[in-house]
């Protein structure tokens, strides 16, 4: 991949050639209008970013659009991400990026609230009234036709709680295979709980790289894995 000089990077930033990443978690129906207004404001000032756009940026160091890019990221795999956030993105011409905690989706509906409370998945009032909280695998497949879906581990784990080969298989390797089987597409990226960065642990970096991910989304940057 091309590594632009600092002067070239400064020039790109001054010209608005950068990508802004905005993180969301639950997007409840009761707050739909607020989310719609926020995303509409972003859509006015920023260009959507597809996977191909991101690949091109990292491969060439050049941003192709006349506006900065926007990646709205909707974490965990909430039902309301599929029912509220994704349709709003589509109305506004944005590409949503959806990191999925795969075991959350595998949990039976009647146990999803308990799973969420045990695995750092925040709930709002409408989530506690009964019914499904996580999106379905059919919804994931549908999302992948227009947006980008990728693993957020299986059980919503941080790398500091994943130690053994069995842990790595469950949290890093299997979620990728599962998403790819459901969508028929590559799962190109990965994200740990707490937004941990690539480069903090050789054990975990090796697993992410071996699994075949191209990107890690962290709290500070999008890491391109060589």
């Amino acid at each position: 991949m091309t590594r632009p000089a600092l002067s070239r990077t400064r020039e790109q930033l001054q010209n608005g050639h950068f990508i802004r990443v905005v993180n969301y978690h639950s997007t409840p129906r009761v707050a739909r209008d607020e989310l719609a207004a926020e995303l509409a404001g972003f859509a006015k000032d920023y260009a959507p970013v597809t996977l191909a756009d991101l690949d091109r940026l990292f491969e060439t160091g050049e941003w192709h659009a006349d506006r900065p890019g926007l990646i709205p990221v909707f974490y965990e795999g909430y039902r309301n991400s599929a029912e509220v956030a994704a349709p709003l993105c589509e109305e506004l011409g944005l590409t949503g990026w959806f990191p999925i905690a795969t075991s959350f989706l595998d949990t039976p509906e009647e146990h999803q609230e308990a799973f969420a409370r045990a695995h750092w998945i925040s709930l709002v009032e409408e989530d506690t009234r009964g019914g499904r909280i996580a999106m379905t695998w059919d919804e994931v497949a549908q999302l992948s036709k227009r947006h980008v879906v990728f693993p957020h581990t299986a059980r919503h784990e941080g790398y500091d709680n994943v130690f053994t080969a069995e842990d790595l298989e469950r949290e890093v390797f299997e979620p990728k295979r599962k998403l790819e089987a459901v969508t028929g597409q590559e799962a190109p990226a990965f994200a740990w709980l707490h937004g941990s960065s690539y480069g903090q642990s050789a054990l975990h970096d090796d697993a992410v790289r071996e699994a075949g991910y191209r990107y890690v989304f962290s709290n500070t940057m999008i890491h391109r894995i060589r």
Side-chain angles (χ1 to χ4, degrees):
M1 117 186 162
T2 302
R3 291 184 175 276
L6 179 59
S7 59
R8 181 58 174 153
T9 300
R10 185 183 299 114
E11 179 185 343
Q12 293 277 5
L13 290 172
Q14 290 173 340
N15 291 332
H17 299 167
F18 61 87
I19 291 177
R20 180 175 182 177
V21 178
V22 182
N23 292 337
Y24 296 92
H25 294 273
S26 183
T27 55
R29 286 171 286 280
V30 69
R32 182 191 182 282
D33 290 347
E34 180 180 351
L35 178 63
E38 183 165 293
L39 290 176
F42 286 136
K44 182 188 303 183
D45 296 327
Y46 294 88
V49 180
T50 65
L51 177 59
D53 294 332
L54 189 63
D55 286 340
R56 184 185 305 115
L57 176 62
F58 274 93
E59 288 165 5
T60 68
E62 300 288 340
W63 179 241
H64 68 286
D66 59 357
R67 293 175 292 161
L70 177 79
I71 296 182
V73 185
F74 303 94
Y75 279 90
E76 275 83 85
Y78 291 96
R79 174 182 182 175
N80 57 40
S81 292
E83 295 183 348
V84 176
L88 286 174
C89 286
E90 289 160 16
E91 289 175 19
L92 295 165
L94 296 171
T95 297
W97 292 59
F98 295 84
I100 306 295
T102 54
S103 290
F104 186 28
L105 277 60
D106 286 336
T107 300
E109 179 180 311
E110 63 270 23
H111 301 307
Q112 287 178 358
E113 181 177 346
F115 180 94
R117 294 187 184 283
H119 292 90
W120 296 82
I121 296 176
S122 299
L123 301 175
V124 296
E125 182 180 352
E126 67 184 47
D127 295 324
T128 65
R129 297 173 184 164
R132 179 166 57 86
I133 302 172
M135 64 178 71
T136 67
W137 286 109
D138 285 344
E139 287 171 331
V140 170
Q142 187 64 34
L143 279 178
S144 71
K145 296 178 181 179
R146 173 65 177 77
H147 305 282
V148 183
V149 296
F150 60 96
H152 188 27
T153 75
R155 302 191 305 190
H156 203 221
E157 296 282 10
Y159 82 94
D160 54 347
N161 200 36
V162 174
F163 306 107
T164 67
E166 181 181 21
D167 293 340
L168 291 166
E169 169 64 26
R170 182 187 65 246
E171 302 299 332
V172 178
F173 291 90
E174 178 58 24
K176 189 174 196 293
R177 291 194 295 267
K178 181 166 288 189
L179 274 176
E180 290 177 345
V182 168
T183 65
Q185 301 178 28
E186 176 195 14
F190 183 82
W192 292 105
L193 172 63
H194 306 311
S196 298
S197 299
Y198 188 81
Q200 295 190 66
S201 164
L203 173 68
H204 299 88
D205 291 349
D206 288 348
V208 169
R209 188 171 56 251
E210 184 182 341
Y213 296 106
R214 297 211 302 283
Y215 299 102
V216 170
F217 276 64
S218 79
N219 283 338
T220 57
M221 67 183 69
I222 302 171
H223 301 256
R224 179 66 164 95
I225 302 171
R226 293 184 178 181

